[in-house]
Structure formats: C-alpha cells, structure tokens
Amino acid sequence: MSTEAIELGPSPARLTLGHVTVGACARHDWTIEQVRVLFELPFNDLLYAAQWVHRQHFDPNEVQISTLLSVKTGACPEDCAYCPQSIRYETGIESHELLALDAVTEAARNARDAGATRFCLGAAYRGPKPKQLEQIAAMIRAVKALGLETCATLGMLKDGQAEALADAGLDYYNHNLDASREFYPQIISTRSYDDRLDTLSKVRAAGMKVCCGGILGMGETRDNRVELLHELATLPAHPESVPVNQLIPVPGTPLEGAGGVDGLEFARTVAVARILMPRSHVRLSAGRTEFSDALQALCFAAGANSIFYGEKLLTADNPDSDADQALFSRLGLRREERDRGPGV
Ligand code: SAM
Ligand code: DTB
Ligand code: SF4
C-alpha cells in the first residue's frame, strides 16, 4: 500500500490513521493515487474514517428516501449494455409511451403517503423532445405541488431544456457517469463520456442539483472503480446525490452474465465515496434485492444515507416496503425530513 499522506485543504478537523489523514471539508483536487490509497486501507480503518467523515455533516441515523417511477418505459434507441430498456435487446419488459399526468400524480401521492420525500421521474429517452419536455414539466409541477422534492432522469439535455425543467420546479436531475472514462466504451457506444459531462454542466448552469453516480459489477476492475470515484469527486461541484448501483444482470442484455461485485468491495466503494464527497448523499440504488440486511447495515455504517424505496425501480424489483421498514426499525434508522440535510 502506498504510504502517501492524504492531506485535505484548510479543514480544522482531521482524522489521521497511520499514513492517511482525512478531513471534513469538501475538496475537488483529489489525485487518483489518493483515491487508490483510500480503497486499499484496512477495512476497519476505512469504515472508521468514512463514519467519522459522515458524522461531520449528517445525522448517522437518518436516511433520505426517494421513490422512482418510469414515466416512459422501453424502446430506447441507446445501447447501454446493462439496460433492459434498450430497443436492441430482448428483455421482455413492457414498454409504454409517456404516462398521463393523472397517473403520475397518483403514484407520487402514494409515494408521499408511504414516506418518500423525493419523487424521481425516469424516461427511456436518448433525450427529451420539446413536446415530451412540456408534458414532463407539467408532471414536475404536479409532483412539486404535493410537497415532494422532484427529480428527473430523461437522458441528454439540449440547450434551454435544463432551464425549462428548472422553471417547472425540478430540484434534481439524475444523469450518471455509470463507469470510468476508461471502462465506459465497453458499456455504451451511442453517447460519449463528454456528452454526459456536457449534460451535467447544463444542469448545474440552470441552478439545479445534480444526482450522478455509477454502476458496480459490470466487469470493471478496482482501478476502474477508483477512476469513476475520482471523476465524480473532481467535478467542479460534487453531485449532491451519488447513486451507487449494483448491476442488475437482466437476461437478454449484453451484461446478463457480468461478473458482479463482492459485497465487501461494494461497501468499500460506498465508504470511499463518502470520504471523497463528504456533503453528498450517497444512495444505495439498484441491486438492493440481492443485499442481505447485514450488507445494507454495513453500507449505512460506511456512509450511505439514501435509498430508493418502493417495490419497483424503473422496470426491476426493489425490496418490499415492509422489509425496508423492518430493516430501518432493527437498525434504529429514521427517514430524513425534507431539506434538513446539509448540501440538500
Ligand atoms: N435514459 C436515461 C439515461 O440513461 O440517462 C434515464 C434512465 S436510465 C435507466 C438511469 C440509470 O439507471 C442508468 O444511468 C444506470 O445507472 C441505471 N441502470 C439502468 N439499468 C440498470 C441495471 N440493469 N442495473 C443497475 N443500474 C441500472
Ligand atoms: C440510478 O442511478 N438508478 C436508478 C435511477 N438512478 C434512475 C435506476 C435503476 C434502474 C435499475 C433497472 C430498472 O429498474 O430498469
Ligand atoms: Fe436508454 Fe437510459 Fe437505458 Fe441507456 S440507460 S438504454 S439511455 S433508458
């Protein structure tokens, strides 16, 4: 393991473990080598550092709750190798065009009544067309009127579209990097890494919060995970929300037989994300149905503090709400109330 000390900026609070010093302040100048050193820490040291950083900014027993709805499903022209919604793969999902406003409002009301504080609209688009954007803007207004935070993930945005979404009251835009720049070409060919960064900068310029993360278990190496987190943590501003997905290997997709990721490596990745982006919410996202309660508890201890709640993600299953409530109760976790967390 490298013995390089990881020094943070002008932070008054620091934690030193052997050769590694971590601080509480957000910084954007991490080097690849520093990220690698964090990944290679003894597990207990890494978890302790992550928990220490977590407690500088968050109540460690609060978890932010988001619910997803796929407002337009399937028949997507893109070729993302993990995705059941690409038109190129036979995955047996039920495609549908944009849902009616009433159906979206009702789903959002149910999510709110079940305890969610944020409602995320997902659409299987390369990017929204003007008419579609108008219809989605109406959905955002309706969800907002229910007192929920709003998030949307609609693919790439063209000039002016981020502003239109912000005007409708959109709080967050989700657009993942998904993989490191090095590994990305093995996963997607129809949009480039720079296309993604361009959409993220449009979202920022329009004044919205950014939700941006990636997927583990697609066959990437530890180095690729280091590079992905480095990319996220050196963006001009850290994403306020960082979804860490475990690949759901959907039959019919090119990644149906991908290698997956070991649970301890997943928890390590969460812990490093927590240390690198101390004020961000780190979300346990796709793949939780495969996690034991013990692994989820470990991830919360490593600094994860957000989940997708409700029995469906976009097309794939998510844990039963009853199971999540039981888990929260066993772990003494509480729902984070809206706008209470720092950075959100
Ligand atoms: N079409 C839009 C786009 O790609 O930006 C929005 C929806 S897309 C389904 C949102 C994210 O879901 C992807 O970026 C990816 O991180 C995640 N995702 C999709 N399929 C997945 C799978 N099988 N396992 C894990 N995550 C997945
Ligand atoms: C994110 O990072 N994960 C969510 C959300 N953002 C849109 C989506 C997960 C999708 C899992 C596969 C499916 O449900 O189709
Ligand atoms: Fe389409 Fe998004 Fe799926 Fe890629 S991830 S195929 S863009 S829905």
Side-chain angles (χ1 to χ4, degrees):
M1 189 187 96
S2 163
T3 54
E4 180 191 1
I6 296 178
E7 287 293 336
L8 288 192
S11 165
R14 279 156 193 259
L15 172 73
T16 302
L17 292 161
H19 300 290
V20 178
T21 303
V22 295
C25 284
R27 49 175 282 199
H28 304 266
D29 60 349
W30 295 101
T31 66
I32 281 275
E33 187 48 29
Q34 288 170 334
V35 180
R36 191 170 290 120
V37 167
L38 289 175
F39 256 101
E40 289 172 2
L41 280 173
F43 194 72
N44 284 339
D45 287 348
L46 175 60
L47 242 70
Y48 178 57
Q51 180 69 204
W52 180 86
V53 169
H54 192 45
R55 284 169 185 263
Q56 307 297 313
H57 300 289
F58 294 101
D59 179 329
N61 301 310
E62 284 191 353
V63 175
Q64 188 278 328
I65 308 284
S66 293
T67 292
L68 277 167
L69 177 67
S70 181
V71 296
K72 186 271 176 184
T73 304
C76 181
E78 302 296 279
D79 71 350
C80 313
Y82 50 75
C83 188
Q85 300 198 66
S86 169
I87 199 162
R88 299 165 195 236
Y89 318 132
E90 284 290 332
T91 61
I93 57 158
E94 274 183 40
S95 297
H96 62 80
E97 282 306 326
L98 202 53
L99 294 177
L101 179 59
D102 283 358
V104 175
T105 313
E106 192 188 332
R109 189 178 295 109
N110 291 340
R112 183 196 64 186
D113 295 348
T117 58
R118 190 177 309 159
F119 196 67
C120 308
L121 310 176
Y125 293 140
R126 174 172 166 81
K129 299 202 162 55
K131 179 81 199 312
Q132 295 160 345
L133 199 80
E134 253 176 57
Q135 289 170 282
I136 291 169
M139 295 174 186
I140 292 164
R141 285 192 199 92
V143 173
K144 190 96 177 158
L146 294 169
L148 285 157
E149 289 181 316
T150 52
C151 178
T153 182
L154 316 170
M156 291 191 282
L157 297 178
K158 294 201 169 68
D159 284 347
Q161 292 190 317
E163 286 74 9
L165 291 167
D167 285 350
L170 190 64
D171 297 305
Y172 290 80
Y173 195 79
N174 167 246
H175 199 61
N176 290 336
L177 291 179
D178 278 338
S180 68
R181 188 183 277 279
E182 292 76 3
F183 187 59
Y184 184 91
Q186 294 185 44
I187 304 298
I188 298 151
S189 77
T190 49
R191 61 169 72 140
S192 73
Y193 213 68
D194 287 326
D195 287 336
R196 289 188 182 257
L197 292 170
D198 178 60
T199 289
L200 292 172
S201 66
K202 286 186 164 81
V203 171
R204 276 281 173 229
M208 287 183 288
K209 291 172 192 155
V210 167
C211 173
C212 182
I215 307 178
L216 308 185
M218 298 193 289
E220 76 285 351
T221 61
R222 160 74 69 82
D223 272 351
N224 295 145
R225 291 188 277 276
V226 166
E227 290 151 4
L228 170 62
L229 289 194
H230 178 258
E231 192 82 38
L232 291 167
T234 56
L235 287 169
H238 292 164
E240 282 79 2
S241 166
V242 180
V244 185
N245 294 279
Q246 174 169 281
L247 175 73
I248 299 175
V250 180
T253 63
L255 293 186
E256 65 177 322
V261 59
D262 164 65
L264 293 182
E265 181 71 4
F266 191 97
R268 244 183 215 284
T269 308
V270 166
V272 176
R274 163 53 59 228
I275 293 168
L276 297 177
M277 296 170 279
R279 292 174 176 275
S280 305
H281 280 77
V282 176
R283 179 176 306 124
L284 299 185
S285 303
R288 272 200 310 121
T289 48
E290 300 306 308
F291 288 19
S292 65
D293 283 359
L295 178 56
Q296 293 193 67
L298 197 57
C299 289
F300 291 129
N305 61 345
S306 172
I307 58 165
F308 285 124
Y309 177 72
E311 271 125 52
K312 257 222 164 356
L313 293 162
L314 294 172
T315 67
D317 290 343
N318 200 37
D320 289 348
S321 304
D322 289 352
D324 278 344
Q325 282 173 24
L327 180 64
F328 272 41
S329 157
R330 283 172 78 196
L331 300 178
L333 294 174
R334 300 180 304 272
R335 174 181 85 144
E336 182 193 273
E337 297 304 324
R338 254 197 82 170
D339 293 329
R340 289 247 323 265
V344 171

